[in-house]
Amino acid sequence: MGGGLILNGSVYRGVNGLAGELGHNCIDPNGPVCPCGRRGCLEAFIGQSALVQRYHVLYRTAFPDESESDLCESTREISAAASSGDRIALQLYQEIGEHLALGLSHALNLLDVERIVLGGGVANAAPYFLPATRRVLNELLLDRRIRPQVVRAELGDQAGSFGRRVFGFEQVVYRIIYAL
């Protein structure tokens, strides 16, 4: 999970070039191990591989005697399952929305921006997780006169490519979160 913070029209990188690493903020110190090696990072809950693993856990719990041939093996398949009304996929997106809200609340309480824009492949499933994200976020944020918007990027899957080209991000970004 990548991110970027746009301040006064420029990407803010921070003194170590790590500004915007929202995915590596800890939301649960007892949570799963993240690919970075730490525990409980937001990435460990809502990164692409974490989503597929969690879908498998939820499926096996709900249907212990069923064949595993129906398991979704990608976030694209999970989104398709959700659009077909699959209750496991919908439950997963509810969880994702709640975890995302927790991570975003840290950033919003620190930065007090007006908008968070979610892009990249997983953001295509925004209709399934954004309601939970907005609901939980409203519960977690400090009182404010202007509530932040959390919206899907108009660029969709192309947000990462655009960010690399226009703003010079060096790494492949699966989801870009711009605070405008």
Side-chain angles (χ1 to χ4, degrees):
M1 177 177 181
L5 176 61
I6 313 295
L7 293 174
N8 299 321
S10 298
V11 174
Y12 176 73
R13 297 181 190 278
V15 296
N16 294 298
L18 298 172
E21 283 294 338
L22 184 62
H24 294 292
N25 284 312
C26 180
I27 63 167
D28 180 358
N30 299 312
V33 175
C34 180
C36 76
R38 296 176 36 217
R39 280 198 171 277
C41 293
L42 182 58
E43 173 83 18
F45 287 96
I46 68 170
Q48 289 184 356
S49 62
L51 298 184
V52 173
Q53 289 173 5
R54 181 67 181 149
Y55 180 87
H56 289 188
V57 168
L58 291 172
Y59 185 91
R60 288 183 187 116
T61 301
F63 307 108
D65 299 326
E66 294 290 318
S67 164
E68 295 186 5
S69 63
D70 293 334
L71 284 174
C72 293
E73 297 297 334
S74 70
T75 55
R76 189 174 306 256
E77 289 178 18
I78 295 170
S79 292
S83 70
S84 299
D86 180 298
R87 70 180 178 96
I88 303 300
L90 293 170
Q91 178 183 346
L92 174 67
Y93 283 121
Q94 178 75 22
E95 290 180 11
I96 290 167
E98 293 170 2
H99 291 306
L100 180 59
L102 185 54
L104 292 178
S105 72
H106 297 170
L108 287 166
N109 283 332
L110 177 66
L111 299 171
D112 192 28
V113 297
E114 66 180 286
R115 184 178 306 132
I116 299 286
V117 181
L118 305 173
V122 174
N124 290 332
Y128 307 114
F129 67 80
L130 265 184
T133 300
R134 290 176 179 137
R135 178 184 49 78
V136 173
L137 194 57
N138 283 329
E139 296 168 5
L140 294 172
L141 290 178
L142 296 170
D143 227 6
R144 50 190 75 212
R145 186 174 43 87
I146 299 171
R147 303 302 278 178
Q149 297 174 337
V150 181
V151 299
R152 185 174 176 269
E154 291 179 14
L155 294 171
D157 290 351
Q158 302 305 311
S161 301
F162 180 78
R164 282 190 304 281
R165 275 195 327 275
V166 174
F167 299 112
F169 293 148
E170 294 84 17
Q171 59 187 351
V172 174
V173 179
Y174 295 106
R175 284 180 301 275
I176 290 207
I177 298 176
Y178 289 107
L180 299 172

